Amino acid sequence: GRSSSQDAAAARAGSPDPVELQAQMQAQALEMQGQLQAQMQAQVLEMQAKMQSQMQAQLQEIVVQMREQMRSDLDERRRREEAQQTQAVAAAHAAAVAVHHQQQHQ
């Protein structure tokens, strides 16, 4: 008949060792974990990139708006200053004319 050591060998050949099975499963689990992590990292990076480009676009828009606002403010101020200057010149001219008239009348 067969010896017990032969039976053990046959059993080992027929079904894998539990320790070996566990090692294989752990290896698979680690591999899956690695893949999942890589996928998640890729997704996170993609999202970060999208958010960054969106934020940059928004910032650029804000900067453009601020520049336009400043430019229109400057234009407005320039217009106002020019109007004031014109008024000042007119007033000075009027004053000079008035003084001249007074001098003539005396």
Side-chain angles (χ1 to χ4, degrees), residues 50-98:
K50 269 187 205 168
M51 278 175 62
Q52 248 178 334
S53 60
Q54 277 181 348
M55 277 174 61
Q56 273 178 330
Q58 283 178 334
L59 273 173
Q60 260 177 327
E61 215 174 302
I62 290 170
V63 168
V64 167
Q65 282 177 349
M66 279 174 65
R67 274 203 202 127
E68 282 176 5
Q69 186 63 48
M70 279 173 64
R71 202 173 296 139
S72 64
D73 283 353
L74 277 172
D75 285 347
E76 186 62 37
R77 199 178 305 158
R78 204 174 297 133
R79 242 176 272 134
R80 228 176 295 145
E81 279 173 9
E82 279 172 13
Q84 282 175 343
Q85 275 180 339
T86 310
Q87 282 177 338
V89 169
H93 184 69
V97 169

Side-chain angles (χ1 to χ4, degrees), residues 3-17:
S3 71
S4 56
S5 65
Q6 276 181 326
D7 279 346
R12 220 178 294 139
S15 60
D17 193 9

Side-chain angles (χ1 to χ4, degrees), residues 95-106:
V97 169
V99 169
H100 186 66
H101 275 305
Q102 277 182 339
Q103 283 175 344
Q104 273 187 333
H105 283 302
Q106 279 173 353

Side-chain angles (χ1 to χ4, degrees), residues 12-33:
R12 220 178 294 139
S15 60
D17 193 9
V19 176
E20 214 175 308
L21 254 179
Q22 217 175 352
Q24 274 184 348
M25 279 174 65
Q26 263 180 329
Q28 279 182 330
L30 278 173
E31 204 180 323
M32 277 174 62
Q33 239 179 339

